[in-house]
Amino acid sequence: MTSFVTVQLGLLDPLYSLFGWVLGGLYSWLNNYGLVIILFTVIIRALLLPLGLRSQRSSLRQQMLQSEVNEIKRRYPNDAQKVQTLTQQLYKENGISMTSGCLPSILQLAVIWPIIYIFRAPLRFITAVPVHNLTKIGEVLQGQGLMTEAQVKNIAIMDIPILNGLRDSGSALQQSVQEGWIRLPQLINTNFLGIDLGMTPSFKPWEWFGADWRVQLPLVLLILITMFTYWMQMRIMRMSTARPEKTKEEKAREKANPAKRGQNPDQTAGMMKTMNLFMPILMLFTMFSMPSAMCLYWLFQNVMYLIQSALGYKFYVQPLRLAHAEEQASFERSRRRGAVSSSGEEEKEGFFKNFVSKLKNRNKPE
């Protein structure tokens, strides 16, 4: 296990150095651990915002081409390879990347990995206390019964116990400062709005309302708020489609015509569904197994994603829905004039293809 961690830290040294430098600079400026985490999260999400919006626009382009994808499936119902090849060719011609929808999620996971270790060892990565100094402080605290031998051995990847120990032992703090192992400005104050961001929430419900309820209950409430924002995020994601929900008539036609059923809006739908199932599990695991600083990070990560979704809806989804509504109204006017048949299925498909063509011109790839 130790060798695995060592290899991982070595591979991610550039990110550790960069994130640690940014967090250290923010802490020396703000001197507030909670505000540092919030501002750091906002900065990371702001940098990823253009990519997220680009991914959302790419996903909407795929939805606009769905009628053509359906036509490919109708023509080659027994040749899955042909369908896949022609669909990929269609997407390529329209500047759509097959992996663009998942790239932001993959980058998000890549960012989370170093953040997990930094939040577990803020003295090492944020205030740059050398590991050998942390070990010496840990040995002093171990001698006073404030740290275990296992905690001292793992001090390089988890130094939160040192913060807790130095808060409880004035003599250990005095000795550590006098020996030059740590400076007072390097001690991180993990309290934020009555929540100790250095504490790990208990997964045992009876401890939430036990003797330490003043510590545990706020941590659990923070987790509940974070999961609520994630639920809102997923809800907005489902709403952010190019076309509104199917009408009863459309659902009835799909039921009567099996060829129109079971067709995903894009090729990455399965991958995105897997990510949407995986992310809440990852969130809950990290929030109940790590200092609550990680929970605060997830909370504002979700808030920033909600802002991204709102921007995407305003600048991409809403205009597409208005354009679709105009095209539908044009079709209905033509049908009332007798320009199309009463059933209008083939003509309606032609109108929608015309709508798709207009949208392709409106949303040409950059």
Side-chain angles (χ1 to χ4, degrees), residues 143-181:
Q144 297 183 3
L146 296 174
M147 285 185 65
T148 65
E149 181 180 356
Q151 288 175 326
V152 175
K153 287 182 178 180
N154 291 322
I155 206 71
I157 59 175
M158 182 71 170
D159 60 35
I160 288 290
I162 285 185
L163 285 173
N164 298 331
L166 293 179
R167 278 201 299 260
D168 295 338
S169 175
S171 62
L173 175 60
Q174 183 179 11
Q175 180 181 352
S176 300
V177 173
Q178 288 177 347
E179 294 288 345
W181 298 334

Side-chain angles (χ1 to χ4, degrees), residues 122-277:
L123 290 175
R124 177 187 175 187
F125 294 109
I126 297 179
T127 54
V129 181
V131 175
H132 64 272
N133 287 6
L134 294 172
T135 302
K136 292 177 180 178
I137 299 172
E139 290 171 350
V140 172
L141 293 173
Q142 181 185 354
Q144 297 183 3
L146 296 174
M147 285 185 65
T148 65
E149 181 180 356
Q151 288 175 326
V152 175
K153 287 182 178 180
N154 291 322
I155 206 71
I157 59 175
M158 182 71 170
D159 60 35
I160 288 290
I162 285 185
L163 285 173
N164 298 331
L166 293 179
R167 278 201 299 260
D168 295 338
S169 175
S171 62
L173 175 60
Q174 183 179 11
Q175 180 181 352
S176 300
V177 173
Q178 288 177 347
E179 294 288 345
W181 298 334
I182 193 169
R183 294 178 290 105
L184 288 178
Q186 291 178 304
L187 287 173
I188 295 177
N189 182 5
T190 56
N191 290 315
F192 179 67
L193 300 179
I195 299 175
D196 189 347
L197 298 177
M199 291 292 295
T200 300
S202 172
F203 61 88
K204 302 174 182 178
W206 56 87
E207 293 187 1
W208 304 344
F209 306 98
D212 294 333
W213 69 269
R214 287 184 176 84
V215 175
Q216 289 294 330
L217 195 55
L219 303 183
V220 175
L221 291 176
L222 183 60
I223 290 176
L224 292 177
I225 294 172
T226 301
M227 294 309 297
F228 175 76
T229 59
Y230 183 78
W231 176 80
M232 288 293 296
Q233 170 185 323
M234 291 297 99
R235 181 175 176 85
I236 291 179
M237 182 182 293
R238 289 191 294 268
M239 293 170 58
S240 297
T241 56
R243 297 183 68 177
E245 293 291 326
K246 295 183 178 69
T247 63
K248 291 182 178 179
E249 291 77 11
E250 288 174 325
K251 291 180 180 179
R253 283 195 295 269
E254 286 188 357
K255 185 176 181 179
N257 185 358
K260 291 183 175 291
R261 288 184 295 183
Q263 296 172 339
N264 293 325
D266 59 69
Q267 292 292 317
T268 62
M271 297 175 64
M272 291 302 296
K273 183 177 180 180
T274 301
M275 291 297 299
N276 293 339
L277 291 174

Side-chain angles (χ1 to χ4, degrees), residues 6-7 19 40 45 55 72 76 116 145 151 160 183 228 230 238 254 277 304 311 333 338 344 350:
T6 303
V7 171
F19 288 177
F40 176 77
R45 285 304 310 178
S55 172
I72 293 173
Y76 306 98
I116 285 176
Q151 288 175 326
I160 288 290
R183 294 178 290 105
F228 175 76
Y230 183 78
R238 289 191 294 268
E254 286 188 357
L277 291 174
M304 288 297 293
L311 292 174
R333 287 194 297 269

